[in-house]
Amino acid sequence: MATEGGGKEMNEIKTQFTTREGLYKLLPHSEYSRPNRVPFNSQGSNPVRVSFVNLNDQSGNGDRLCFNVGRELYFYIYKGVRKAADLSKPIDKRIYKGTQPTCHDFNHLTATAESVSLLVGFSAGQVQLIDPIKKETSKLFNEERLIDKSRVTCVKWVPGSESLFLVAHSSGNMYLYNVEHACGTTAPHYQLLKQGESFAVHTCKSKSTRNPLLKWTVGEGALNEFAFSPDGKFLACVSQDGFLRVFNFDSVELHGTMKSYFGGLLCVCWSPDGKYVVTGGEDDLVTVWSFGDCRVIARGHGHKSWVSVVAFDPYTTSVEESDPMELSGSDEDFQDLLHFGRDRANSTQSRLSKRNSTESRPVSVTYRFGSVGQDTQLCLWDLTEDILFPHQPLSRARTHTNVMNATSPPAGSTGNSVTTPGNSAPPPLPRSNSLPHSAVSSTGSKGSIADGAIASGVSKFATLSLHDRKDRHHEKDHKRNHSMGHISSKSSDKLNLVTKTKTDPAKTLGTPLCPRMEDVPLLEPLICKKIAHERLTVLIFLEDCIVTACQEGFICTWGRPGKVGLMSAPNQASSPGGTIV
């Protein structure tokens, strides 16, 4: 990877960045890639993906890493920030002919030190079940491509199940499989189980149980990604038609929908407590959707191209009690968050559930999520109180530091704003939604950013202030320096009148399904850094690091603040990319 100070082009690649919790640093010794590191032509290849699993062994090296590059699939011991990567010793390596791996997923429920179940989806439509520890290939599904001939876009084990998994294709179909059952020797026949707006679910008609158990047809065009809610009860899907659709997975009921500003939606994730869904896509935006209210509550603009991955950081998402000005994310407060897999999400959920309790003590919450895109940039975002609970509008103010040259957008309230039980005080000012060129990138002090947010008042963070809608129309319309700016248009007076009207997808702009840019708060990224030469395809938050990957096939480890020093001295090998501190 690039070094700092090695020429103009090389200087563009950042190897560290600072947030309110401290310094994140790229660890060159922990970089994974193809063992021979020969140049790889990433054009036209399927996205590089990374999957993690923890084997729960007693050695302390229980994490395993799987990634695909081109026709190749690798399985390594992941040593994190503590030890250097050993690229010469993959546990398993596979090279495929005629097709390429596109996605994969470990079964965390059944993983042991002796055996692990890994599903791999392919560009030709097949799904393979392998055990990279035993180096076995158990089964191949859709082998003759009788079920679906299109590329597999996403494959995941159904949460809590040892045998059920779900597969999405670029055909727009999803299929539910059971690893215990075989696929038929002829094309399956289906009968309708349930139908709704822009979706249908069919069961497989056969004398004996066979795969697929269910066929979902969702939206128009490719189904790009899906994600299960932390409790496994709901399924969020994003499609090339630009729609987010959230289903109750067991009852196959549509819970709610959202439309992108324009273009397809490419990625989706859930907050650790399941209250919010974030999407990204071809409109260069990240969009935050409230699960409870079924409405867009914020958009974030920081990317200059398509957003390829969005993910929440459960280790920095924080709950603060009694003192809303206290810095969030300390190790002492959130040891219960530091668990891999579903335990992590559940512990976060238990803390966040206090937000809806009847306690009189004020409870403040800040969600951290990240995004990476084809612009090779990593963005981190903080979702704060004034966005989540806009029950008390902040005072009107203009910004002097907003690079968008726009006054703050009003809240996109549709009359069902969420109030905070037992807390009548106005929400605290955001502590870290600073602008890309502000003090966040120039200071290393943990407290200065939060203190500065309070001290500078509302003006610095006017992009997040919540206007009264009635006053909005007395101001002139504003243009933002967006790549999609030519689509922005005047705010609609009839926004609240179309909430129950079925609208043509082509006419959704200006409705709650797709609010205009000025009708919802606009988030600014906490940091926005170019960290690769090729488009980014992976963003994973782990306890002691952040993992990113680009289409070149480099899997990079970014040590969290205070975690880098845990590395043992003998492994501080020099490598292009900077010095370890």
PDB file of all heavy atoms in Angstrom, residues 122-139:
ATOM      1  N   PHE A 122     -21.563 -17.837  -6.265  1.00  0.00           N
ATOM      2  CA  PHE A 122     -20.732 -17.706  -7.465  1.00  0.00           C
ATOM      3  C   PHE A 122     -21.415 -16.880  -8.550  1.00  0.00           C
ATOM      4  O   PHE A 122     -22.642 -16.708  -8.560  1.00  0.00           O
ATOM      5  CB  PHE A 122     -20.381 -19.093  -8.020  1.00  0.00           C
ATOM      6  CG  PHE A 122     -19.457 -19.869  -7.126  1.00  0.00           C
ATOM      7  CD1 PHE A 122     -19.965 -20.718  -6.156  1.00  0.00           C
ATOM      8  CD2 PHE A 122     -18.079 -19.737  -7.238  1.00  0.00           C
ATOM      9  CE1 PHE A 122     -19.125 -21.426  -5.315  1.00  0.00           C
ATOM     10  CE2 PHE A 122     -17.231 -20.437  -6.404  1.00  0.00           C
ATOM     11  CZ  PHE A 122     -17.744 -21.288  -5.443  1.00  0.00           C
ATOM     12  N   SER A 123     -20.586 -16.397  -9.477  1.00  0.00           N
ATOM     13  CA  SER A 123     -21.069 -15.534 -10.545  1.00  0.00           C
ATOM     14  C   SER A 123     -22.008 -16.260 -11.501  1.00  0.00           C
ATOM     15  O   SER A 123     -22.827 -15.623 -12.160  1.00  0.00           O
ATOM     16  CB  SER A 123     -19.879 -14.961 -11.326  1.00  0.00           C
ATOM     17  OG  SER A 123     -19.053 -15.995 -11.825  1.00  0.00           O
ATOM     18  N   ALA A 124     -21.918 -17.575 -11.579  1.00  0.00           N
ATOM     19  CA  ALA A 124     -22.792 -18.339 -12.478  1.00  0.00           C
ATOM     20  C   ALA A 124     -24.079 -18.793 -11.795  1.00  0.00           C
ATOM     21  O   ALA A 124     -24.930 -19.399 -12.438  1.00  0.00           O
ATOM     22  CB  ALA A 124     -22.053 -19.555 -13.043  1.00  0.00           C
ATOM     23  N   GLY A 125     -24.215 -18.524 -10.481  1.00  0.00           N
ATOM     24  CA  GLY A 125     -25.474 -18.823  -9.798  1.00  0.00           C
ATOM     25  C   GLY A 125     -25.424 -19.945  -8.792  1.00  0.00           C
ATOM     26  O   GLY A 125     -26.373 -20.124  -8.017  1.00  0.00           O
ATOM     27  N   GLN A 126     -24.339 -20.718  -8.743  1.00  0.00           N
ATOM     28  CA  GLN A 126     -24.276 -21.835  -7.803  1.00  0.00           C
ATOM     29  C   GLN A 126     -23.919 -21.349  -6.397  1.00  0.00           C
ATOM     30  O   GLN A 126     -23.389 -20.258  -6.211  1.00  0.00           O
ATOM     31  CB  GLN A 126     -23.225 -22.874  -8.245  1.00  0.00           C
ATOM     32  CG  GLN A 126     -23.440 -23.418  -9.643  1.00  0.00           C
ATOM     33  CD  GLN A 126     -22.621 -22.667 -10.678  1.00  0.00           C
ATOM     34  OE1 GLN A 126     -22.338 -21.489 -10.508  1.00  0.00           O
ATOM     35  NE2 GLN A 126     -22.267 -23.359 -11.757  1.00  0.00           N
ATOM     36  N   VAL A 127     -24.206 -22.200  -5.416  1.00  0.00           N
ATOM     37  CA  VAL A 127     -23.806 -21.961  -4.029  1.00  0.00           C
ATOM     38  C   VAL A 127     -23.127 -23.225  -3.517  1.00  0.00           C
ATOM     39  O   VAL A 127     -23.670 -24.325  -3.628  1.00  0.00           O
ATOM     40  CB  VAL A 127     -25.009 -21.616  -3.130  1.00  0.00           C
ATOM     41  CG1 VAL A 127     -24.554 -21.424  -1.680  1.00  0.00           C
ATOM     42  CG2 VAL A 127     -25.708 -20.356  -3.620  1.00  0.00           C
ATOM     43  N   GLN A 128     -21.934 -23.066  -2.945  1.00  0.00           N
ATOM     44  CA  GLN A 128     -21.166 -24.210  -2.466  1.00  0.00           C
ATOM     45  C   GLN A 128     -21.060 -24.150  -0.949  1.00  0.00           C
ATOM     46  O   GLN A 128     -20.874 -23.077  -0.370  1.00  0.00           O
ATOM     47  CB  GLN A 128     -19.765 -24.177  -3.090  1.00  0.00           C
ATOM     48  CG  GLN A 128     -18.962 -25.450  -2.902  1.00  0.00           C
ATOM     49  CD  GLN A 128     -17.610 -25.364  -3.605  1.00  0.00           C
ATOM     50  OE1 GLN A 128     -16.892 -24.378  -3.459  1.00  0.00           O
ATOM     51  NE2 GLN A 128     -17.261 -26.385  -4.367  1.00  0.00           N
ATOM     52  N   LEU A 129     -21.188 -25.301  -0.315  1.00  0.00           N
ATOM     53  CA  LEU A 129     -20.957 -25.430   1.125  1.00  0.00           C
ATOM     54  C   LEU A 129     -19.628 -26.134   1.318  1.00  0.00           C
ATOM     55  O   LEU A 129     -19.448 -27.279   0.872  1.00  0.00           O
ATOM     56  CB  LEU A 129     -22.081 -26.235   1.782  1.00  0.00           C
ATOM     57  CG  LEU A 129     -21.913 -26.541   3.279  1.00  0.00           C
ATOM     58  CD1 LEU A 129     -21.905 -25.265   4.103  1.00  0.00           C
ATOM     59  CD2 LEU A 129     -23.006 -27.496   3.771  1.00  0.00           C
ATOM     60  N   ILE A 130     -18.675 -25.465   1.965  1.00  0.00           N
ATOM     61  CA  ILE A 130     -17.352 -26.048   2.156  1.00  0.00           C
ATOM     62  C   ILE A 130     -16.956 -25.949   3.617  1.00  0.00           C
ATOM     63  O   ILE A 130     -17.505 -25.162   4.383  1.00  0.00           O
ATOM     64  CB  ILE A 130     -16.281 -25.368   1.274  1.00  0.00           C
ATOM     65  CG1 ILE A 130     -16.110 -23.895   1.666  1.00  0.00           C
ATOM     66  CG2 ILE A 130     -16.631 -25.474  -0.204  1.00  0.00           C
ATOM     67  CD1 ILE A 130     -15.005 -23.189   0.895  1.00  0.00           C
ATOM     68  N   ASP A 131     -15.973 -26.774   3.994  1.00  0.00           N
ATOM     69  CA  ASP A 131     -15.363 -26.715   5.315  1.00  0.00           C
ATOM     70  C   ASP A 131     -13.871 -26.471   5.107  1.00  0.00           C
ATOM     71  O   ASP A 131     -13.117 -27.411   4.831  1.00  0.00           O
ATOM     72  CB  ASP A 131     -15.584 -28.014   6.089  1.00  0.00           C
ATOM     73  CG  ASP A 131     -15.114 -27.924   7.541  1.00  0.00           C
ATOM     74  OD1 ASP A 131     -14.180 -27.136   7.807  1.00  0.00           O
ATOM     75  OD2 ASP A 131     -15.673 -28.634   8.403  1.00  0.00           O
ATOM     76  N   PRO A 132     -13.411 -25.218   5.215  1.00  0.00           N
ATOM     77  CA  PRO A 132     -12.008 -24.933   4.924  1.00  0.00           C
ATOM     78  C   PRO A 132     -11.036 -25.458   5.969  1.00  0.00           C
ATOM     79  O   PRO A 132      -9.837 -25.478   5.716  1.00  0.00           O
ATOM     80  CB  PRO A 132     -11.967 -23.398   4.861  1.00  0.00           C
ATOM     81  CG  PRO A 132     -13.161 -22.945   5.620  1.00  0.00           C
ATOM     82  CD  PRO A 132     -14.194 -24.006   5.492  1.00  0.00           C
ATOM     83  N   ILE A 133     -11.541 -25.870   7.139  1.00  0.00           N
ATOM     84  CA  ILE A 133     -10.648 -26.487   8.122  1.00  0.00           C
ATOM     85  C   ILE A 133     -10.390 -27.943   7.745  1.00  0.00           C
ATOM     86  O   ILE A 133      -9.258 -28.412   7.693  1.00  0.00           O
ATOM     87  CB  ILE A 133     -11.239 -26.380   9.540  1.00  0.00           C
ATOM     88  CG1 ILE A 133     -11.302 -24.914   9.970  1.00  0.00           C
ATOM     89  CG2 ILE A 133     -10.404 -27.192  10.531  1.00  0.00           C
ATOM     90  CD1 ILE A 133     -11.880 -24.702  11.354  1.00  0.00           C
ATOM     91  N   LYS A 134     -11.460 -28.667   7.471  1.00  0.00           N
ATOM     92  CA  LYS A 134     -11.312 -30.057   7.021  1.00  0.00           C
ATOM     93  C   LYS A 134     -10.944 -30.146   5.545  1.00  0.00           C
ATOM     94  O   LYS A 134     -10.660 -31.224   5.035  1.00  0.00           O
ATOM     95  CB  LYS A 134     -12.615 -30.813   7.261  1.00  0.00           C
ATOM     96  CG  LYS A 134     -12.985 -30.979   8.725  1.00  0.00           C
ATOM     97  CD  LYS A 134     -14.281 -31.771   8.867  1.00  0.00           C
ATOM     98  CE  LYS A 134     -14.634 -32.006  10.332  1.00  0.00           C
ATOM     99  NZ  LYS A 134     -15.912 -32.756  10.478  1.00  0.00           N
ATOM    100  N   LYS A 135     -11.004 -28.983   4.872  1.00  0.00           N
ATOM    101  CA  LYS A 135     -10.732 -28.906   3.436  1.00  0.00           C
ATOM    102  C   LYS A 135     -11.652 -29.822   2.652  1.00  0.00           C
ATOM    103  O   LYS A 135     -11.241 -30.543   1.738  1.00  0.00           O
ATOM    104  CB  LYS A 135      -9.256 -29.203   3.152  1.00  0.00           C
ATOM    105  CG  LYS A 135      -8.321 -28.239   3.857  1.00  0.00           C
ATOM    106  CD  LYS A 135      -6.874 -28.431   3.473  1.00  0.00           C
ATOM    107  CE  LYS A 135      -5.995 -27.400   4.192  1.00  0.00           C
ATOM    108  NZ  LYS A 135      -4.570 -27.534   3.862  1.00  0.00           N
ATOM    109  N   GLU A 136     -12.914 -29.763   3.029  1.00  0.00           N
ATOM    110  CA  GLU A 136     -13.924 -30.581   2.368  1.00  0.00           C
ATOM    111  C   GLU A 136     -14.910 -29.695   1.618  1.00  0.00           C
ATOM    112  O   GLU A 136     -15.142 -28.549   1.978  1.00  0.00           O
ATOM    113  CB  GLU A 136     -14.700 -31.416   3.396  1.00  0.00           C
ATOM    114  CG  GLU A 136     -13.868 -32.467   4.088  1.00  0.00           C
ATOM    115  CD  GLU A 136     -14.680 -33.207   5.146  1.00  0.00           C
ATOM    116  OE1 GLU A 136     -15.823 -32.805   5.437  1.00  0.00           O
ATOM    117  OE2 GLU A 136     -14.155 -34.188   5.682  1.00  0.00           O
ATOM    118  N   THR A 137     -15.482 -30.268   0.563  1.00  0.00           N
ATOM    119  CA  THR A 137     -16.610 -29.654  -0.132  1.00  0.00           C
ATOM    120  C   THR A 137     -17.820 -30.528   0.132  1.00  0.00           C
ATOM    121  O   THR A 137     -17.898 -31.666  -0.347  1.00  0.00           O
ATOM    122  CB  THR A 137     -16.358 -29.555  -1.648  1.00  0.00           C
ATOM    123  OG1 THR A 137     -15.189 -28.762  -1.859  1.00  0.00           O
ATOM    124  CG2 THR A 137     -17.537 -28.924  -2.355  1.00  0.00           C
ATOM    125  N   SER A 138     -18.748 -30.018   0.934  1.00  0.00           N
ATOM    126  CA  SER A 138     -19.865 -30.842   1.360  1.00  0.00           C
ATOM    127  C   SER A 138     -20.918 -30.973   0.268  1.00  0.00           C
ATOM    128  O   SER A 138     -21.266 -32.078  -0.140  1.00  0.00           O
ATOM    129  CB  SER A 138     -20.501 -30.262   2.628  1.00  0.00           C
ATOM    130  OG  SER A 138     -19.554 -30.193   3.663  1.00  0.00           O
ATOM    131  N   LYS A 139     -21.437 -29.808  -0.198  1.00  0.00           N
ATOM    132  CA  LYS A 139     -22.554 -29.855  -1.143  1.00  0.00           C
ATOM    133  C   LYS A 139     -22.464 -28.689  -2.113  1.00  0.00           C
ATOM    134  O   LYS A 139     -21.849 -27.650  -1.828  1.00  0.00           O
ATOM    135  CB  LYS A 139     -23.888 -29.796  -0.404  1.00  0.00           C
ATOM    136  CG  LYS A 139     -24.239 -31.058   0.370  1.00  0.00           C
ATOM    137  CD  LYS A 139     -25.633 -30.946   0.981  1.00  0.00           C
ATOM    138  CE  LYS A 139     -26.000 -32.231   1.715  1.00  0.00           C
ATOM    139  NZ  LYS A 139     -27.347 -32.146   2.318  1.00  0.00           N
TER     140      LYS A 139
END
